Amino acid sequence: MDEQLTEVLRLYPTVARINRVATADTPLPEVRNDGKARIIRKGTTIAISADAFHKDEQFYPDPFKFDPARFNKENKAKRSPYVYMAFGIGPRNCIGMRFALVETKVALAHIVRNFEIRPSSGTPVPARMEKDMLGYKVGTDVRLKLIPRT
Ligand code: HEM
């Protein structure tokens, strides 16, 4: 199930932007038209769009397709690990990542064990997601039918 959850968070990262502050003057590899280096000055805040990386077809072909196989061992090995950042990146990434994945699987297992999940007349197909300053969330008007298992 990890591959499915990871693919959901690739398409709909709940935190779609990562911020960092440069701790030193940092030249970028590309030079400007005048031949000078581009430098990110110490103290500058950088906003990195996780969403842009996640939807870039050079890393994720057919990027809007839901395809959990992108995260199997073989396909993951073909990509830089730095182009997936639903839980952030580097030494200050999400400390709760493993807990969040376990918690989600346990919650889903309980729901699926006790209820059959069916679309209702209020279920938009495909699913309607909303995006705010932070990231994606399920639209408020998405309704599902939960039928208790007997
Ligand atoms: C699906 C659920 C979650 C997602 C998508 C998520 C995502 C993120 C992201 C993107 C960051 C920023 C990382 C960075 O800047 O590189 C972060 C940081 C953090 N998250 Fe989560 N998170 C989740 C669940 C949790 C849970 C369950 C906990 C605690 C039990 C948690 C605790 C933290 C903490 C403490 C930080 C700050 C880490 C630091 O600055 O060193 N998160 N999370």
Side-chain angles (χ1 to χ4, degrees):
M1 197 194 264
D2 279 339
E3 289 168 17
Q4 280 82 359
L5 292 179
T6 307
E7 176 67 343
V8 168
L9 286 170
R10 179 190 69 83
L11 276 170
Y12 308 114
T14 46
V15 183
R17 191 187 62 216
I18 311 295
N19 291 335
R20 291 290 184 269
V21 177
T23 55
D25 285 355
T26 310
L28 296 180
E30 310 89 54
V31 291
R32 303 188 318 200
N33 288 343
D34 60 10
K36 291 185 179 158
R38 286 178 198 277
I39 298 173
I40 298 175
R41 295 287 172 202
K42 181 179 175 178
T44 307
T45 299
I46 314 286
I48 304 157
S49 170
D51 205 21
F53 276 93
H54 289 187
K55 308 276 168 53
D56 188 327
E57 61 188 351
Q58 66 175 305
F59 309 125
Y60 301 101
D62 201 358
F64 294 93
K65 184 180 168 199
F66 179 76
D67 180 10
R70 300 178 198 277
F71 292 97
N72 65 27
K73 215 172 163 190
E74 190 192 349
N75 287 332
K76 259 168 77 175
K78 294 181 197 156
R79 246 186 346 252
S80 160
Y82 301 115
V83 299
Y84 180 78
M85 49 189 95
F87 288 99
I89 210 162
R92 294 301 297 267
N93 76 344
C94 177
I95 200 170
M97 176 178 76
R98 286 177 184 80
F99 176 69
L101 290 172
V102 168
E103 191 184 31
T104 306
K105 283 184 270 189
V106 170
L108 280 174
H110 275 282
I111 294 170
V112 170
R113 193 176 63 176
N114 292 300
F115 297 94
E116 201 179 315
I117 305 172
R118 292 267 180 84
S120 74
S121 53
T123 310
V125 180
R128 194 157 51 239
M129 303 295 282
E130 289 172 7
K131 197 177 173 203
D132 60 18
M133 289 284 285
L134 188 64
Y136 290 87
K137 55 189 180 185
V138 180
T140 45
D141 58 346
V142 174
R143 288 164 198 275
L144 291 167
K145 209 185 281 176
L146 297 188
I147 304 162
R149 295 186 193 274
T150 47

